[in-house]
Amino acid sequence: MPLELIKEVNGVPEVELLSELNKVDFRSLQPGCDYSKKYIQGKLSIISSLTSGGNRTAVLKIALQEQENSDSDINTINVLFFGKLAKDCAKVFYEGDTIAVAGFSVLSASSSTGRDGKHCLFLKAFEDFRSTVYVYVKSVRDFSTESMSLVPTTHYIYTPLNQLKGGTIVNVYGVVKFFKPPYLSKGTDYCSVVTIVDQTNVKLTCLLFSGSYEALPIIYKNGDIVRFHRLKIQVYKKETQGITSSGFASLTFEGTLGAPIIPRTSSKYFNFTAEDHRMVEALRVWASTHISPSSTLVKLCDVQPLQYFDLTCQLLGKAEVDGASFLLKVWDGTRTPFPSWRVLIEDLALEGDLSHIHQLQNLTIDILVYDNHVQVAKFLKVGSFLRIYSLHTKLQSVNLENQATLLALEFHLHGGTSYGRGIRVLPESNSDVDQLKKVLESADLTAGQCFDGICQSEHEDSFRSLSSSGSVSLYEVERCQQLSATILTDHHYLEKTPLCAILKQKAPQQYRIRAKLRSYKPRSLLQSVKLHCPKCHALQEVPHEGDLDIILQEGATIIPDTKLQNTSLYDSKMWTTKDQGERKVAVHFVKNNGILPLSSDCLILIEGGTLGEIYKLANKFHSVIPVRSGYEDLEVLDLSVPFLIQGKVHHYGCKQCSTLRPIQNLNSLVDKTPWIPSSVAEVLGIVPLQHVFVMTFILDDGTGVLEAYLMDSDKFFQIPASEILINDDLQQSMEMIMGMFCPSGTKIDAYPWLECLIKSYNVTSGTEQQICYQIFDTTVAEDLI
Ligand SMILES: [Zn+2]
């Protein structure tokens, strides 16, 4: 401070501020010497009135009389103060005051009044020269200047928070852990609640009241450091708390290590000593390792649905909605992951630069503030920088005119002051405002454009932004912290897309998503196994054993033709059964170059067998093909039954796509045993059907719910669908995987994330067109299997 008041008690100054500086006798002053670290002291003998010098600079001239060397011939010296310092001093100086001036320059002037013609010296002091003027005062005077402070009359003692006693009035320092910005309490007073903590790890909640908003601590965020003077400690319901007592005063400092230590206060008179400086530094250091940094400050681009957070922003516009709510249009230079809702008001009601707001519409959010905050909101200046505390977000679906639905983020500042809800104007000097300004200056105003032509013009302008929010940054962050229970086998270059964005885009497209499996259909896993034709894409149920039996019995009515037996391809044997009216069964053993192979390598063709018989033979022989006698050759029986049975595995063919060929064609394969189903199918003109899992996954990523269909033979689950029907272990593995994806008895929050690739496609049924989604190129993470 360029002007300091030091209180004197019985002629003795309370603090010795100048002990670090060297005092200079008047007589030893010389022009041109460095007096930046030195001071002179004397009694104010003459004070002239304030004049304005060149450039209209204020000039104050005084004469100081040295007390110690009163017999010296040079015991009076003129001091000229310039500029603001001159004005301030003029308000404070009284003749007879003891004054010290530190940091000055000495000039000489040929004085016509000098009795002996000697050059007379004078001092120049001004703020730019870092001059400091100390005035010793006997009592506090009624003066006011911005550049002075009152040096303390007493040395303040600060009580650690673990040593507070009810009924005392104390001075404390602490780090803010929680606060409510000043609000109008029920009376006419403003109230603020501040919880602080210090190195003793003891917390103290303080209820602070004042008739003026400004007199309460100017806290911007948790982690700020406060100094309270004259805080009354009381015990209420066994809790120690602090309340304002008469003369309460506070200073607030930024809590960040290394930030300049500048006290925030509305008070013009306060002391701040080197010891205070050390207190603040010590608390900063302690807080940096003991208090987690305030995580409630969130940028709009990181906002999640259903979140409470503090926002630093600039006010672009405001409007009264009704008596109980008020609209604030703000921005912070970043874009929300969902478009902001738009509160319906007439343009006329909106205060602010409409064209500017329109230009920034994709970066602007609408906040509704309620009840007690309405009064505060009314007086906010458009353009000012705000911190809004405990702002609440909700995700709402909005129905557009074209019947499309869109998800939009609502922002509410609910009534009351719970959880510190409130609004505070930040000064331009605030470091967060500084940062915000930089972001605003570099904000991408063109960011509202649509990508890939996906954004349809039929959407309302205000919702246009959704399409371009192709990624949900906050979700990304959160998701990255959790491993996925599935992994992609391809297309890693694809960016993740939130489901809500996918749901409103046209097909066909491919996406990478991350979602949870809310539920799935069918619940019975065995029902999920189907037969799929890779050629015509028809899906059909796996035939029931009962149905198979009936078809086989019908086939058995055709009597095996002996002319077709014992060929170069196979040796034949025929039985007549005693049951069921003497059914004839023929078995043809396919030879390998004229020689019958071992049964375990042997393919047999069977005519007239029952399912039970086929099963028995399939256990013994490598492969079984049910056949019947045709005109010239044996024929594959009927594609309703398996065309090939290997062990317990049934191979089916597509009735639509297959063009059956004579059994003799197997000749081309006899060298190439074992019997590979696809090769057998090929030579017999059969398009084999695939066993696949067909399931509907109801996926939820918090932004939307999407039904995606999974058709997988063995890649997704790493379990062959063709074998699951006959293998208990595989069925168990499958149950385990599904139970892990979608655990019963827990909330969806606890479900694992699934990273999936999905593709959209159009399905037309009748006149209706529908977009469907299918999972592809995704597999269950290995450690799950
Ligand atoms: Zn087909």
Short mmCIF file of all heavy atoms in Angstrom, two decimals, residues 317-322 325-330 339-347 349-350 357 364-370 398 408-413 460 462-463:
data_model
loop_
_atom_site.label_atom_id
_atom_site.label_comp_id
_atom_site.label_asym_id
_atom_site.label_seq_id
_atom_site.Cartn_x
_atom_site.Cartn_y
_atom_site.Cartn_z
N GLY A 317 -28.14 -13.43 -22.27
CA GLY A 317 -29.48 -12.87 -22.32
C GLY A 317 -30.27 -13.31 -21.12
O GLY A 317 -29.91 -14.28 -20.44
N LYS A 318 -31.34 -12.61 -20.83
CA LYS A 318 -32.18 -13.00 -19.72
C LYS A 318 -33.61 -12.56 -19.99
O LYS A 318 -33.85 -11.64 -20.77
CB LYS A 318 -31.66 -12.40 -18.40
CG LYS A 318 -31.58 -10.88 -18.41
CD LYS A 318 -31.18 -10.35 -17.04
CE LYS A 318 -31.41 -8.85 -16.96
NZ LYS A 318 -31.26 -8.32 -15.60
N ALA A 319 -34.53 -13.26 -19.37
CA ALA A 319 -35.93 -12.92 -19.57
C ALA A 319 -36.75 -13.43 -18.41
O ALA A 319 -36.46 -14.49 -17.85
CB ALA A 319 -36.44 -13.53 -20.87
N GLU A 320 -37.77 -12.68 -18.06
CA GLU A 320 -38.67 -13.15 -17.02
C GLU A 320 -39.64 -14.12 -17.66
O GLU A 320 -40.20 -13.85 -18.73
CB GLU A 320 -39.42 -11.95 -16.42
CG GLU A 320 -40.29 -12.36 -15.27
CD GLU A 320 -40.58 -11.21 -14.30
OE1 GLU A 320 -40.12 -10.08 -14.57
OE2 GLU A 320 -41.26 -11.46 -13.30
N VAL A 321 -39.78 -15.27 -17.09
CA VAL A 321 -40.70 -16.27 -17.64
C VAL A 321 -42.06 -16.14 -16.96
O VAL A 321 -43.08 -15.98 -17.58
CB VAL A 321 -40.13 -17.68 -17.49
CG1 VAL A 321 -41.10 -18.71 -18.05
CG2 VAL A 321 -38.80 -17.79 -18.21
N ASP A 322 -42.04 -16.22 -15.66
CA ASP A 322 -43.22 -15.92 -14.86
C ASP A 322 -42.70 -15.50 -13.50
O ASP A 322 -41.49 -15.42 -13.30
CB ASP A 322 -44.17 -17.11 -14.79
CG ASP A 322 -43.49 -18.37 -14.28
OD1 ASP A 322 -42.77 -18.27 -13.25
OD2 ASP A 322 -43.63 -19.42 -14.92
N SER A 325 -40.14 -18.04 -12.04
CA SER A 325 -38.95 -18.52 -12.73
C SER A 325 -38.42 -17.47 -13.70
O SER A 325 -39.15 -16.60 -14.17
CB SER A 325 -39.25 -19.82 -13.48
OG SER A 325 -40.24 -19.61 -14.45
N PHE A 326 -37.16 -17.58 -13.95
CA PHE A 326 -36.46 -16.57 -14.75
C PHE A 326 -35.49 -17.30 -15.66
O PHE A 326 -34.88 -18.29 -15.27
CB PHE A 326 -35.70 -15.64 -13.80
CG PHE A 326 -35.39 -14.29 -14.40
CD1 PHE A 326 -36.30 -13.24 -14.27
CD2 PHE A 326 -34.21 -14.07 -15.08
CE1 PHE A 326 -36.01 -11.99 -14.82
CE2 PHE A 326 -33.92 -12.83 -15.63
CZ PHE A 326 -34.83 -11.79 -15.50
N LEU A 327 -35.37 -16.83 -16.90
CA LEU A 327 -34.52 -17.51 -17.87
C LEU A 327 -33.18 -16.80 -17.99
O LEU A 327 -33.13 -15.58 -18.13
CB LEU A 327 -35.21 -17.52 -19.24
CG LEU A 327 -34.34 -17.89 -20.44
CD1 LEU A 327 -33.93 -19.36 -20.38
CD2 LEU A 327 -35.07 -17.61 -21.75
N LEU A 328 -32.11 -17.57 -17.94
CA LEU A 328 -30.79 -17.04 -18.22
C LEU A 328 -30.22 -17.79 -19.42
O LEU A 328 -30.25 -19.01 -19.46
CB LEU A 328 -29.85 -17.25 -17.02
CG LEU A 328 -30.25 -16.60 -15.70
CD1 LEU A 328 -29.22 -16.93 -14.63
CD2 LEU A 328 -30.37 -15.08 -15.85
N LYS A 329 -29.76 -17.05 -20.40
CA LYS A 329 -29.08 -17.67 -21.54
C LYS A 329 -27.59 -17.43 -21.35
O LYS A 329 -27.14 -16.28 -21.29
CB LYS A 329 -29.55 -17.05 -22.85
CG LYS A 329 -30.87 -17.60 -23.36
CD LYS A 329 -31.24 -16.97 -24.69
CE LYS A 329 -32.56 -17.53 -25.21
NZ LYS A 329 -32.46 -18.90 -25.72
N VAL A 330 -26.83 -18.51 -21.23
CA VAL A 330 -25.40 -18.36 -20.96
C VAL A 330 -24.58 -19.25 -21.89
O VAL A 330 -25.12 -20.13 -22.56
CB VAL A 330 -25.06 -18.72 -19.49
CG1 VAL A 330 -25.91 -17.93 -18.52
CG2 VAL A 330 -25.22 -20.22 -19.26
N PRO A 339 -28.20 -31.12 -27.19
CA PRO A 339 -28.58 -29.71 -27.34
C PRO A 339 -29.32 -29.25 -26.09
O PRO A 339 -29.95 -30.06 -25.41
CB PRO A 339 -29.49 -29.72 -28.56
CG PRO A 339 -30.00 -31.10 -28.65
CD PRO A 339 -28.92 -32.00 -28.12
N SER A 340 -29.19 -27.98 -25.82
CA SER A 340 -29.94 -27.43 -24.70
C SER A 340 -31.41 -27.34 -25.07
O SER A 340 -31.76 -27.14 -26.23
CB SER A 340 -29.42 -26.04 -24.37
OG SER A 340 -30.32 -25.37 -23.52
N TRP A 341 -32.26 -27.52 -24.09
CA TRP A 341 -33.67 -27.23 -24.33
C TRP A 341 -33.82 -25.75 -24.61
O TRP A 341 -32.90 -24.97 -24.36
CB TRP A 341 -34.50 -27.65 -23.12
CG TRP A 341 -34.21 -26.88 -21.85
CD1 TRP A 341 -33.04 -26.29 -21.48
CD2 TRP A 341 -35.12 -26.64 -20.77
NE1 TRP A 341 -33.15 -25.73 -20.24
CE2 TRP A 341 -34.41 -25.91 -19.78
CE3 TRP A 341 -36.45 -26.98 -20.54
CZ2 TRP A 341 -35.01 -25.52 -18.59
CZ3 TRP A 341 -37.03 -26.58 -19.34
CH2 TRP A 341 -36.32 -25.86 -18.39
N ARG A 342 -34.93 -25.39 -25.16
CA ARG A 342 -35.21 -23.98 -25.39
C ARG A 342 -36.48 -23.61 -24.64
O ARG A 342 -37.54 -24.18 -24.86
CB ARG A 342 -35.38 -23.70 -26.88
CG ARG A 342 -34.07 -23.88 -27.66
CD ARG A 342 -33.04 -22.84 -27.26
NE ARG A 342 -31.73 -23.12 -27.85
CZ ARG A 342 -30.58 -23.05 -27.18
NH1 ARG A 342 -30.57 -22.72 -25.89
NH2 ARG A 342 -29.46 -23.29 -27.77
N VAL A 343 -36.32 -22.67 -23.73
CA VAL A 343 -37.47 -22.22 -22.96
C VAL A 343 -38.24 -21.24 -23.84
O VAL A 343 -37.66 -20.32 -24.41
CB VAL A 343 -37.00 -21.54 -21.66
CG1 VAL A 343 -38.19 -20.99 -20.90
CG2 VAL A 343 -36.22 -22.53 -20.81
N LEU A 344 -39.53 -21.48 -23.97
CA LEU A 344 -40.32 -20.64 -24.87
C LEU A 344 -40.59 -19.28 -24.25
O LEU A 344 -41.22 -19.16 -23.21
CB LEU A 344 -41.64 -21.34 -25.18
CG LEU A 344 -41.54 -22.47 -26.20
CD1 LEU A 344 -42.91 -23.08 -26.43
CD2 LEU A 344 -40.94 -21.97 -27.52
N ILE A 345 -40.07 -18.27 -24.89
CA ILE A 345 -40.38 -16.90 -24.49
C ILE A 345 -40.47 -16.09 -25.76
O ILE A 345 -39.98 -16.51 -26.82
CB ILE A 345 -39.27 -16.29 -23.59
CG1 ILE A 345 -37.90 -16.63 -24.16
CG2 ILE A 345 -39.39 -16.72 -22.16
CD1 ILE A 345 -36.96 -15.50 -24.14
N GLU A 346 -41.08 -14.93 -25.65
CA GLU A 346 -41.11 -14.08 -26.83
C GLU A 346 -39.79 -13.33 -26.92
O GLU A 346 -39.21 -12.96 -25.90
CB GLU A 346 -42.27 -13.09 -26.72
CG GLU A 346 -43.60 -13.77 -26.91
CD GLU A 346 -44.75 -12.79 -26.70
OE1 GLU A 346 -44.49 -11.57 -26.76
OE2 GLU A 346 -45.86 -13.27 -26.48
N ASP A 347 -39.35 -13.13 -28.15
CA ASP A 347 -38.09 -12.42 -28.35
C ASP A 347 -38.10 -11.06 -27.65
O ASP A 347 -37.10 -10.59 -27.16
CB ASP A 347 -37.82 -12.22 -29.84
CG ASP A 347 -37.18 -13.48 -30.42
OD1 ASP A 347 -36.96 -14.43 -29.65
OD2 ASP A 347 -36.94 -13.51 -31.64
N ALA A 349 -39.33 -10.27 -24.92
CA ALA A 349 -39.10 -10.35 -23.48
C ALA A 349 -37.63 -10.54 -23.16
O ALA A 349 -37.21 -10.36 -22.03
CB ALA A 349 -39.90 -11.50 -22.90
N LEU A 350 -36.87 -10.89 -24.18
CA LEU A 350 -35.47 -11.24 -23.93
C LEU A 350 -34.58 -10.01 -23.93
O LEU A 350 -34.57 -9.23 -24.88
CB LEU A 350 -34.98 -12.23 -25.00
CG LEU A 350 -33.59 -12.81 -24.76
CD1 LEU A 350 -33.62 -13.79 -23.59
CD2 LEU A 350 -33.09 -13.51 -26.01
N ILE A 357 -26.89 -13.75 -29.73
CA ILE A 357 -27.42 -15.00 -29.17
C ILE A 357 -27.72 -15.99 -30.29
O ILE A 357 -27.43 -17.18 -30.19
CB ILE A 357 -28.69 -14.72 -28.33
CG1 ILE A 357 -28.31 -13.94 -27.07
CG2 ILE A 357 -29.42 -16.02 -27.97
CD1 ILE A 357 -29.47 -13.40 -26.29
N THR A 364 -25.14 -21.93 -26.74
CA THR A 364 -25.88 -21.27 -25.67
C THR A 364 -26.80 -22.27 -24.99
O THR A 364 -27.40 -23.10 -25.65
CB THR A 364 -26.74 -20.14 -26.25
OG1 THR A 364 -25.89 -19.30 -27.01
CG2 THR A 364 -27.40 -19.33 -25.17
N ILE A 365 -26.88 -22.19 -23.68
CA ILE A 365 -27.85 -23.02 -22.98
C ILE A 365 -28.88 -22.14 -22.28
O ILE A 365 -28.61 -20.98 -21.97
CB ILE A 365 -27.18 -23.97 -21.95
CG1 ILE A 365 -26.48 -23.18 -20.84
CG2 ILE A 365 -26.19 -24.90 -22.64
CD1 ILE A 365 -26.25 -23.99 -19.59
N ASP A 366 -30.04 -22.71 -22.09
CA ASP A 366 -31.10 -22.02 -21.35
C ASP A 366 -31.14 -22.56 -19.94
O ASP A 366 -31.24 -23.77 -19.74
CB ASP A 366 -32.46 -22.28 -22.03
CG ASP A 366 -32.65 -21.42 -23.27
OD1 ASP A 366 -31.65 -20.81 -23.71
OD2 ASP A 366 -33.79 -21.35 -23.77
N ILE A 367 -31.07 -21.67 -18.98
CA ILE A 367 -31.17 -22.09 -17.58
C ILE A 367 -32.42 -21.44 -16.99
O ILE A 367 -32.64 -20.24 -17.16
CB ILE A 367 -29.95 -21.61 -16.77
CG1 ILE A 367 -28.65 -22.19 -17.36
CG2 ILE A 367 -30.09 -21.99 -15.30
CD1 ILE A 367 -27.40 -21.62 -16.72
N LEU A 368 -33.23 -22.24 -16.34
CA LEU A 368 -34.35 -21.65 -15.61
C LEU A 368 -33.96 -21.59 -14.14
O LEU A 368 -33.53 -22.58 -13.57
CB LEU A 368 -35.61 -22.51 -15.76
CG LEU A 368 -36.57 -22.16 -16.90
CD1 LEU A 368 -37.88 -22.89 -16.71
CD2 LEU A 368 -36.82 -20.65 -16.99
N VAL A 369 -34.07 -20.40 -13.55
CA VAL A 369 -33.79 -20.26 -12.13
C VAL A 369 -35.12 -19.97 -11.43
O VAL A 369 -36.02 -19.35 -12.02
CB VAL A 369 -32.74 -19.17 -11.83
CG1 VAL A 369 -31.51 -19.38 -12.69
CG2 VAL A 369 -33.30 -17.78 -12.05
N TYR A 370 -35.24 -20.45 -10.22
CA TYR A 370 -36.53 -20.40 -9.55
C TYR A 370 -36.45 -19.66 -8.21
O TYR A 370 -35.39 -19.55 -7.60
CB TYR A 370 -37.04 -21.82 -9.29
CG TYR A 370 -37.18 -22.65 -10.54
CD1 TYR A 370 -36.11 -23.42 -10.99
CD2 TYR A 370 -38.37 -22.66 -11.27
CE1 TYR A 370 -36.23 -24.18 -12.15
CE2 TYR A 370 -38.49 -23.42 -12.42
CZ TYR A 370 -37.42 -24.18 -12.86
OH TYR A 370 -37.54 -24.94 -14.00
N VAL A 398 -37.86 -34.65 -26.57
CA VAL A 398 -38.68 -33.57 -27.10
C VAL A 398 -39.30 -34.07 -28.39
O VAL A 398 -38.61 -34.61 -29.24
CB VAL A 398 -37.80 -32.33 -27.40
CG1 VAL A 398 -38.64 -31.22 -27.96
CG2 VAL A 398 -37.07 -31.90 -26.14
N ALA A 408 -32.94 -33.60 -25.23
CA ALA A 408 -32.41 -32.28 -24.95
C ALA A 408 -32.09 -32.17 -23.47
O ALA A 408 -32.74 -32.80 -22.64
CB ALA A 408 -33.42 -31.21 -25.35
N LEU A 409 -31.08 -31.38 -23.17
CA LEU A 409 -30.68 -31.18 -21.78
C LEU A 409 -31.40 -29.98 -21.21
O LEU A 409 -31.38 -28.90 -21.78
CB LEU A 409 -29.18 -30.93 -21.70
CG LEU A 409 -28.24 -32.10 -21.46
CD1 LEU A 409 -26.83 -31.58 -21.30
CD2 LEU A 409 -28.64 -32.92 -20.25
N GLU A 410 -32.03 -30.18 -20.06
CA GLU A 410 -32.64 -29.07 -19.33
C GLU A 410 -31.69 -28.63 -18.24
O GLU A 410 -31.01 -29.45 -17.63
CB GLU A 410 -33.95 -29.52 -18.69
CG GLU A 410 -35.01 -29.93 -19.68
CD GLU A 410 -36.32 -30.27 -18.97
OE1 GLU A 410 -36.34 -30.28 -17.72
OE2 GLU A 410 -37.29 -30.54 -19.68
N PHE A 411 -31.67 -27.34 -17.99
CA PHE A 411 -30.83 -26.82 -16.91
C PHE A 411 -31.70 -26.07 -15.91
O PHE A 411 -32.44 -25.16 -16.31
CB PHE A 411 -29.77 -25.88 -17.48
CG PHE A 411 -28.79 -26.57 -18.39
CD1 PHE A 411 -29.07 -26.73 -19.74
CD2 PHE A 411 -27.60 -27.07 -17.89
CE1 PHE A 411 -28.18 -27.39 -20.58
CE2 PHE A 411 -26.70 -27.72 -18.73
CZ PHE A 411 -26.98 -27.88 -20.06
N HIS A 412 -31.62 -26.47 -14.66
CA HIS A 412 -32.45 -25.85 -13.63
C HIS A 412 -31.59 -25.42 -12.45
O HIS A 412 -30.73 -26.16 -12.00
CB HIS A 412 -33.49 -26.84 -13.09
CG HIS A 412 -34.39 -27.42 -14.15
ND1 HIS A 412 -35.57 -26.83 -14.52
CD2 HIS A 412 -34.28 -28.54 -14.91
CE1 HIS A 412 -36.15 -27.56 -15.47
NE2 HIS A 412 -35.38 -28.61 -15.72
N LEU A 413 -31.87 -24.21 -11.97
CA LEU A 413 -31.33 -23.83 -10.66
C LEU A 413 -32.53 -23.78 -9.74
O LEU A 413 -33.32 -22.82 -9.76
CB LEU A 413 -30.62 -22.47 -10.73
CG LEU A 413 -29.99 -22.04 -9.42
CD1 LEU A 413 -28.84 -22.96 -9.02
CD2 LEU A 413 -29.50 -20.60 -9.48
N GLU A 460 -36.05 -28.57 -35.97
CA GLU A 460 -36.05 -27.18 -35.58
C GLU A 460 -34.61 -26.70 -35.45
O GLU A 460 -33.74 -27.43 -35.01
CB GLU A 460 -36.74 -27.04 -34.22
CG GLU A 460 -38.24 -27.06 -34.34
CD GLU A 460 -38.87 -26.97 -32.98
OE1 GLU A 460 -38.36 -26.18 -32.17
OE2 GLU A 460 -39.85 -27.67 -32.76
N SER A 462 -33.23 -24.91 -33.37
CA SER A 462 -32.62 -24.95 -32.05
C SER A 462 -32.12 -26.33 -31.69
O SER A 462 -31.36 -26.50 -30.76
CB SER A 462 -33.61 -24.47 -31.01
OG SER A 462 -34.88 -24.96 -31.30
N PHE A 463 -32.57 -27.32 -32.43
CA PHE A 463 -32.14 -28.67 -32.09
C PHE A 463 -31.08 -29.17 -33.04
O PHE A 463 -30.63 -30.29 -32.97
CB PHE A 463 -33.32 -29.62 -32.09
CG PHE A 463 -34.25 -29.32 -30.97
CD1 PHE A 463 -35.50 -28.82 -31.21
CD2 PHE A 463 -33.82 -29.51 -29.67
CE1 PHE A 463 -36.33 -28.53 -30.16
CE2 PHE A 463 -34.66 -29.23 -28.62
CZ PHE A 463 -35.92 -28.73 -28.87
#
